[in-house]
Amino acid sequence: MPDTYRELQEQAVNQLRAGSGQNPRASVVPIRSDYRTDVGMCLTSVAFLPGDIAHEIHQKIVQPLKEIEPDHHYYSPESMHITVKNIRTIHNPPRFTVADVRKVDGLFGELIPQHPAFSFWLEEVVPFPTSVSLIAYSEARLRDLVRALDAGLNRIGVPDNKEYVSDDVYFGNVTLCRYTRRPSRKFSDALEQMTHLYESVFKVEIIHLITCNSVCAPESRRVLHSYHLCGSPAP
């Protein structure tokens, strides 16, 4: 993984961590008391974490935090994912149509198989203003894919409507917890101790186009289509 691109990713993460609550360019899911019943829906593309890695994260990070403050929303291993390319952010009613989904499916089916598989390095637990995430650093292959998908979405008239801290630097983000209230000092101290508690790496070979609510609750989630990256095993 090129050091220079890694450094750019770290700068973007630090910028988001320091000021996403006030940064008008960063899209943030607001705190609420109940996320699972959120009726807003998004259209997005994701990579789900391998089962063994997701269960390790749940055991080593999520469960200890849940024991301190059980009233926040914690992601199950089955819901853990990394957004590769957003299309439409959470909203009720949805900001996309069946026709939009058809256009996006055609585009992704054409572009994604042209791009090689890439890896995510899971390395750093980071608290944000309304959530807790495990940062997933990646390589220039992710950047090239996201740029191609972004340009394609603009071309077909279904542009990504999400705001980002950077238009040129992309990294992964596994949301582990969404706050239902401001966390306590004990919770924050535990998070600080977990910053470098967990490290792993996995290869992304399949990207899924899905609709779901703000926490990717299983009952809200629909996998619409799946796309294999170049060089990955055929379905």
Side-chain angles (χ1 to χ4, degrees):
M1 180 168 50
D3 289 341
T4 52
Y5 191 61
R6 168 59 182 261
E7 290 169 359
L8 290 172
Q9 291 176 89
E10 290 176 348
Q11 290 174 11
V13 170
N14 289 334
Q15 183 180 352
L16 187 60
R17 172 170 39 194
S20 60
Q22 296 76 39
N23 187 343
R25 297 206 61 208
S27 295
V28 177
V29 175
I31 290 177
R32 56 187 300 161
S33 60
D34 183 7
Y35 292 91
R36 292 186 71 91
T37 59
D38 180 10
V39 295
M41 298 294 286
C42 70
L43 177 64
T44 190
S45 61
V46 304
F48 289 107
L49 270 62
D52 56 341
I53 291 178
H55 280 87
E56 283 181 358
I57 293 169
H58 194 269
Q59 179 183 12
K60 294 182 178 180
I61 301 174
V62 172
Q63 195 58 40
L65 291 175
K66 193 172 183 179
E67 290 174 2
I68 298 172
E69 291 188 356
D71 51 323
H72 299 303
H73 177 87
Y74 296 92
Y75 283 63
S76 67
E78 295 74 23
S79 293
M80 291 182 188
H81 65 279
I82 297 175
T83 297
V84 176
K85 183 59 186 167
N86 178 74
I87 299 117
R88 287 289 186 266
T89 54
I90 299 290
H91 195 265
N92 181 35
R95 289 173 168 158
F96 57 91
T97 65
V98 173
D100 292 332
V101 172
R102 291 197 191 101
K103 290 181 184 179
V104 173
D105 175 43
L107 176 75
F108 282 22
E110 173 190 351
L111 292 182
I112 290 177
Q114 298 178 18
H115 288 260
F118 57 91
S119 295
F120 278 119
W121 285 260
L122 306 171
E123 295 188 13
E124 187 177 1
V125 177
V126 174
F128 292 121
T130 65
S131 63
V132 177
S133 290
L134 179 60
I135 299 301
Y137 296 102
S138 194
E139 51 197 318
R141 288 180 174 183
L142 170 64
R143 177 196 61 198
D144 296 342
L145 172 62
V146 173
R147 284 178 174 174
L149 295 178
D150 196 52
L153 289 170
N154 285 319
R155 186 173 66 251
I156 65 173
V158 193
D160 181 356
N161 69 339
K162 188 174 182 178
E163 296 291 339
Y164 298 91
V165 68
S166 172
D167 292 326
D168 302 309
V169 181
Y170 310 99
F171 58 89
N173 170 36
V174 185
T175 304
L176 305 179
C177 167
R178 291 200 182 277
Y179 300 147
T180 56
R181 58 176 172 82
R182 184 176 179 178
S184 66
R185 171 54 61 185
K186 183 178 180 181
F187 187 94
S188 298
D189 288 344
L191 272 176
E192 188 174 348
Q193 296 299 316
M194 292 178 174
T195 301
H196 298 292
L197 176 66
Y198 183 82
E199 292 187 4
S200 188
V201 60
F202 73 96
K203 189 176 184 180
V204 176
E205 297 180 317
I206 303 174
I207 294 172
H208 307 279
L209 180 66
I210 69 169
T211 59
C212 64
N213 71 0
S214 60
V215 291
C216 201
E219 58 269 27
S220 76
R221 185 173 65 234
R222 287 185 60 209
V223 177
L224 304 176
H225 303 282
S226 300
Y227 315 94
H228 287 251
L229 289 151
C230 180
S232 61

